Amino acid sequence: MAPKRKGKKGKAKGTPIVDGLAPEDMSKEQVEEHIGRIREELDREREERNYFQLERDKIHTFWEITRRQLEEKKAELRNKDREMEEAEERHQVEIKVYKQKVKHLLYEHQNNLTEMKAEGTVVMKLAQKEHRTQEGALRKDMRALKVELREQELAGEVVVKNLRLKHTEEITKMRNDFERQVREIESKYDKKMKMLRDELDLRRKTEIHEVEERKNSQINTLMQRHEEAFTDIKNYYNDITLNNLALINSLKEQMEDMRKKEEHLEREMAEVSMQNKRLADPLQKARDEMHEMQKQLGNYERDKQILVCTKARLKVTEKELKDLQWEHEVLEQRFLKVQQERDELYQKFTAAIQEVQQKTGFKNLLLERKLQALNAAVEKREVQFNEVLAASNLDPATLTLVSRKLEDVLESKNSTIKDLQYELARVCKAHNDLLRTYEAKLLAFGIPLDNVGFKPLETAVVGQTLGQGPAGLVGSPT
């Protein structure tokens, strides 16, 4: 920026005044000082003029550059406008080409839909036929498996009954044998017990008789000795009067000894009786132990026979169990295979149902849109035709001829619309029949409809009532 001026340059129409004085009244120093200030101001004005000149040149250069850039941008803008116009023209041409291609594609799509519809019908019929064949084969296999399972159950029941009868017979036979053996053992040991009792009674009687004989012999001996002593006393009474008292005492002592011996013998008798009684208790215990041993022997033999029979039956039962396990594994593998085939058929059937439902829904949508487009086109053509008739001012004969041709065209279009409506109703009816067949098959296979995972939608046609007959016999709208 240019420096500011410090002084002011005053201009007057008359005599100039410098610092409040006229030039004539100024001194030399003041004039020189004034001249110095004027020179400084002149230098400053020159600097400012040079600075403003440079600024003007710079601004002019900037203006020229900006003008050239503006012209270039305008030229670029014109080129862009021209390119946009050319692009718009190319775009219009491409739109026309794409419209033509879309028409061709729609035509080809319609043809492909017709072909795919025919192929889908054929494939569906073949799949239904194959499904019915497989279903019949599976039902035959199921019936055969049920019959075989029933036969095996009956055979198993017969085998179990035979085994039970055989087991009952063996048990009866073994019971009879054991009872017979018990009776024989009882009779044998009864005889032994009777012989042992007789032998013990005889031994006891013999011992008692021997004790009595010894007692009688001792009594007789004592009596004889007493008699001999008494005779000696009588014979030698006079001879041995001095020794009578001693002898009497000795005899008394002997009598006391004899009484003691007699008491001792009686005690021995009592002890023998007690011993006999004591022997009777061990005898009874021995008898009880013998009976217990006989029972244990019988139980041991019976358990041994039962163990042998049980081992034999266990081997037979293990063999039968292995056979039944093998048959169970075979049946389980068959069942898993049949279940897997059923799941595959169910998945294929569900996929086919969904695919047919999508195709029919898409086809119904296309037919409805096509019908709406045809109705709009007919209305538009009628309006255009009425406008043309109103603007042409034709004679009545030509008008009648044109009207007849138009009615023929409209009648052909109406017949086409009716055919399309009939085809739409037939497709909807086929879709509904397929849904009912699908639900019936699910119920036949024992699958509830709630487990499907989705709710099938039945299609309906506005203005039409679908009949209850097959899909090929759909009634026309009334």
Side-chain angles (χ1 to χ4, degrees):
M1 225 176 143
K4 294 182 180 179
R5 298 183 188 177
K6 293 182 181 180
K8 291 184 180 179
K9 203 172 180 182
K11 291 184 180 180
K13 294 181 180 180
T15 303
I17 296 173
V18 180
D19 294 333
L21 297 174
E24 295 84 3
D25 296 333
M26 295 176 62
S27 62
K28 182 179 179 182
E29 289 82 4
Q30 292 177 348
V31 172
E32 289 176 356
E33 185 179 358
H34 180 66
I35 290 170
R37 285 199 304 270
I38 289 172
R39 285 179 178 175
E40 289 177 359
E41 189 174 352
L42 179 61
D43 294 335
R44 190 167 54 252
E45 291 294 335
R46 286 178 179 175
E47 288 178 0
E48 289 181 357
R49 182 182 63 81
N50 293 331
Y51 175 76
F52 285 120
Q53 185 68 32
L54 289 173
E55 291 290 332
R56 184 182 65 80
D57 294 338
K58 189 185 292 184
I59 290 170
H60 182 71
T61 304
F62 286 159
W63 180 79
E64 289 291 336
I65 292 170
T66 306
R67 185 174 60 80
R68 285 197 300 273
Q69 289 178 354
L70 179 63
E71 290 177 355
E72 290 176 358
K73 295 298 180 182
K74 285 182 179 179
E76 289 178 1
L77 183 61
R78 285 193 297 272
N79 293 329
K80 292 294 181 181
D81 291 336
R82 186 166 58 255
E83 290 177 359
M84 286 180 64
E85 290 176 357
E86 292 176 357
E88 183 68 25
E89 291 176 357
R90 286 196 301 273
H91 182 62
Q92 293 295 330
V93 172
E94 289 177 356
I95 287 174
K96 290 180 181 180
V97 172
Y98 280 116
K99 285 182 178 180
Q100 197 69 24
K101 287 182 180 180
V102 167
K103 289 181 180 179
H104 290 297
L105 289 174
L106 287 174
Y107 180 73
E108 290 178 359
H109 180 64
Q110 187 68 27
N111 292 332
N112 290 330
L113 280 177
T114 307
E115 292 176 358
M116 288 177 70
K117 178 185 173 184
E119 290 177 358
T121 306
V122 174
V123 169
M124 182 61 70
K125 289 180 179 179
L126 292 175
Q128 289 177 355
K129 185 177 179 181
E130 184 179 358
H131 178 67
R132 286 194 294 269
T133 305
Q134 291 179 356
E135 185 179 358
L138 288 174
R139 286 184 178 177
K140 288 180 181 179
D141 291 338
M142 286 293 290
R143 286 195 293 270
L145 288 174
K146 286 181 180 179
V147 171
E148 186 177 357
L149 183 61
R150 184 59 181 169
E151 290 176 356
Q152 290 179 359
E153 288 178 355
L154 293 175
E157 290 177 358
V158 171
V159 170
V160 170
K161 288 181 180 178
N162 293 329
L163 288 174
R164 285 180 178 174
L165 291 174
K166 191 181 295 183
H167 181 64
T168 306
E169 291 176 359
E170 290 177 356
I171 290 174
T172 306
K173 186 176 179 181
M174 290 173 66
R175 185 181 289 113
N176 294 327
D177 292 337
F178 285 130
E179 287 178 355
R180 181 178 54 78
Q181 291 176 5
V182 167
R183 286 194 298 270
E184 291 177 356
I185 293 170
E186 285 180 354
S187 63
K188 180 179 177 181
Y189 280 96
D190 286 336
K191 290 179 181 179
K192 287 184 178 181
M193 285 295 296
K194 188 175 181 181
M195 291 173 65
L196 184 62
R197 188 182 294 112
D198 294 337
E199 184 179 356
L200 290 174
D201 289 338
L202 181 59
R203 187 182 297 174
R204 182 175 58 80
K205 289 178 181 179
T206 304
E207 290 177 353
I208 291 171
H209 183 66
E210 289 177 354
V211 171
E212 287 179 353
E213 285 181 352
R214 285 195 301 271
K215 183 187 74 170
N216 292 326
S217 63
Q218 288 178 1
I219 290 171
N220 291 325
T221 303
L222 288 173
M223 287 177 71
Q224 288 176 1
R225 288 178 181 178
H226 181 68
E227 287 177 356
E228 289 176 356
F230 185 72
T231 303
D232 290 334
I233 289 169
K234 284 171 85 173
N235 292 326
Y236 298 101
Y237 180 73
N238 294 319
D239 296 330
I240 53 172
T241 52
L242 296 174
N243 296 326
N244 281 337
L245 292 174
L247 183 61
I248 290 169
N249 291 328
S250 64
L251 289 174
K252 286 181 178 180
E253 290 177 0
Q254 288 178 2
M255 286 295 290
E256 186 68 26
D257 292 334
M258 291 301 291
R259 280 196 301 272
K260 287 181 180 180
K261 287 182 180 179
E262 188 177 0
E263 290 177 359
H264 180 67
L265 289 173
E266 287 178 358
R267 284 196 300 270
E268 286 182 355
M269 185 81 176
E271 288 178 359
V272 168
S273 299
M274 293 296 293
Q275 188 177 2
N276 192 6
K277 290 181 181 179
R278 286 196 301 271
L279 289 174
D281 292 335
L283 180 62
Q284 185 66 32
K285 289 182 180 179
R287 287 178 181 176
D288 295 336
E289 289 178 358
M290 183 182 68
H291 285 296
E292 186 68 25
M293 293 298 290
Q294 287 175 358
K295 289 182 181 179
Q296 290 180 0
L297 180 62
N299 292 329
Y300 173 73
E301 295 293 333
R302 185 169 60 254
D303 292 339
K304 188 176 179 181
Q305 294 293 329
I306 290 172
L307 180 61
V308 173
C309 295
T310 305
K311 285 182 178 180
R313 287 197 300 273
L314 181 61
K315 289 180 181 179
V316 175
T317 307
E318 286 178 353
K319 186 177 180 182
E320 292 178 354
L321 178 62
K322 289 180 181 179
D323 296 336
L324 290 174
Q325 285 178 354
W326 182 76
E327 292 177 358
H328 177 70
E329 288 178 358
V330 172
L331 291 175
E332 191 173 9
Q333 290 177 0
R334 288 183 182 176
F335 176 73
L336 291 175
K337 186 176 180 182
V338 171
Q339 191 174 10
Q340 186 177 4
E341 291 178 357
R342 186 200 68 183
D343 295 338
E344 290 178 357
L345 289 173
Y346 173 71
Q347 291 176 359
K348 290 180 181 179
F349 189 69
T350 306
I353 288 294
Q354 292 177 355
E355 185 177 359
V356 170
Q357 186 177 6
Q358 291 177 357
K359 288 181 180 180
T360 52
F362 183 68
K363 188 171 183 180
N364 292 337
L365 183 61
L366 288 178
L367 290 174
E368 289 178 357
R369 289 183 179 178
K370 188 174 181 180
L371 184 62
Q372 292 176 0
L374 289 174
N375 290 328
V378 167
E379 292 177 357
K380 185 176 180 181
R381 293 293 175 84
E382 286 181 355
V383 172
Q384 291 178 358
F385 181 72
N386 291 327
E387 290 178 356
V388 169
L389 288 178
S392 60
N393 294 324
L394 297 175
D395 53 347
T398 306
L399 185 60
T400 303
L401 181 61
V402 172
S403 299
R404 189 178 294 111
K405 289 182 179 181
L406 181 61
E407 288 177 356
D408 294 337
V409 172
L410 291 175
E411 186 176 357
S412 64
K413 296 294 183 181
N414 289 328
S415 64
T416 303
I417 291 170
K418 288 181 179 180
D419 293 337
L420 291 174
Q421 290 177 350
Y422 174 76
E423 181 67 20
L424 177 61
R426 190 183 68 81
V427 171
C428 293
K429 185 64 172 62
H431 173 69
N432 295 335
D433 293 342
L434 186 60
L435 286 179
R436 293 190 182 94
T437 306
Y438 159 73
E439 292 176 355
K441 290 294 181 182
L442 287 180
L443 294 175
F445 281 113
I447 301 172
L449 297 178
D450 298 333
N451 296 336
V452 177
F454 64 92
K455 184 178 181 182
L457 297 176
E458 293 189 0
T459 56
V461 183
V462 180
Q464 289 185 346
T465 302
L466 300 180
Q468 300 296 327
L473 301 176
V474 181
S476 60
T478 57

